[in-house]
Amino acid sequence: MATETVDTTAEFVLSEKVRKEIDHWLEKFPEEQRQSAVLAALHAVQQDIGWLPENAMDAVADYIGMPHIAVYEVATFYDMYNLKPIGKHKITVCTNISCMLCGSDKIVEHLQQRLDIKLGETTSDGMFTLKEVECLAACKNAPMMQVDFDYHENLTPESLDQIIEKYRNDK
Ligand code: FES
């Protein structure tokens, strides 16, 4: 999913779809624990616009009734949240212990060369963003990576090339 351009200097208005989704989660928690809905709320915003600018996090904080800083703490703790705009496809390579022992460093190196970007960057055509993540619970088939919501396992340089081409040609 490509990210939307957001005016980060203006007040951010949560869409009706996002407010409905947050309300859905708020109903699941006691009133005094509204902050428990923050993960789902941030996810809903990210699904809507592709990333989490600061003013959108502020809007989530105000809607739930939490200090802004508490929302930033959550958003910066988890790799799944995009704090910058990302490309059309987000590639997250696991470099945790099983994947590291099975050559994740070679996978990262190959992707960086192939895409001509470093970890944390987006290709100039806006197609791919490359990130490093902690264990994604597919250790049995290490090394692995996630592209958008799909897992790709038992990676080799050859399979990586095929996967990248598939996403590149996917209109
Ligand atoms: S260590 Fe890579 S999926 Fe668990």
Side-chain angles (χ1 to χ4, degrees):
M1 171 195 187
T3 47
E4 282 187 22
T5 306
V6 173
D7 180 355
T8 55
T9 61
E11 186 180 349
F12 187 90
V13 179
L14 298 172
S15 69
E16 190 183 338
K17 189 171 103 193
V18 167
R19 280 185 278 116
K20 264 193 187 158
E21 178 71 12
I22 298 175
D23 290 344
H24 164 78
W25 286 98
L26 284 172
E27 281 172 16
K28 296 182 182 293
F29 301 106
E31 183 59 26
E32 68 278 12
Q33 287 173 22
R34 290 171 63 83
Q35 71 273 16
S36 299
V38 68
L39 289 171
L42 291 173
H43 184 69
V45 174
Q46 185 163 286
Q47 280 294 101
D48 200 32
I49 61 170
W51 67 298
L52 297 174
E54 195 174 312
N55 56 350
M57 290 191 271
D58 292 344
V60 166
D62 294 342
Y63 195 79
I64 294 179
M66 293 173 67
H68 292 185
I69 186 70
V71 174
Y72 306 158
E73 284 169 357
V74 171
T76 55
F77 181 78
Y78 293 103
D79 287 327
M80 62 190 172
Y81 295 121
N82 305 320
L83 302 177
K84 293 192 297 191
I86 60 164
K88 182 175 180 192
H89 299 293
K90 181 164 82 168
I91 302 173
T92 47
V93 185
C94 173
T95 55
N96 215 287
I97 188 70
S98 298
C99 289
M100 183 191 74
L101 292 172
C102 293
S104 62
D105 55 334
K106 299 266 184 309
I107 299 302
V108 170
E109 195 181 304
H110 189 82
L111 283 168
Q112 289 188 144
Q113 270 183 4
R114 169 103 198 184
L115 300 173
D116 195 25
I117 53 174
K118 300 271 181 237
L119 287 171
E121 294 180 349
T122 297
T123 53
S124 55
D125 62 1
M127 188 64 86
F128 297 104
T129 295
L130 182 60
K131 288 178 85 171
E132 176 182 35
V133 287
E134 299 295 327
C135 181
L136 289 171
C139 319
K140 186 166 80 77
N141 295 322
M144 64 80 66
M145 67 181 182
Q146 184 176 4
V147 183
D148 304 331
F149 293 106
D150 294 325
Y151 275 22
H152 299 276
E153 304 173 3
N154 298 309
L155 295 171
T156 63
E158 295 72 30
S159 69
L160 275 179
D161 289 344
Q162 290 171 4
I163 293 164
I164 295 298
E165 274 320 293
K166 178 184 161 296
Y167 283 96
R168 204 185 284 288
N169 297 325
D170 184 22
K171 300 292 178 209

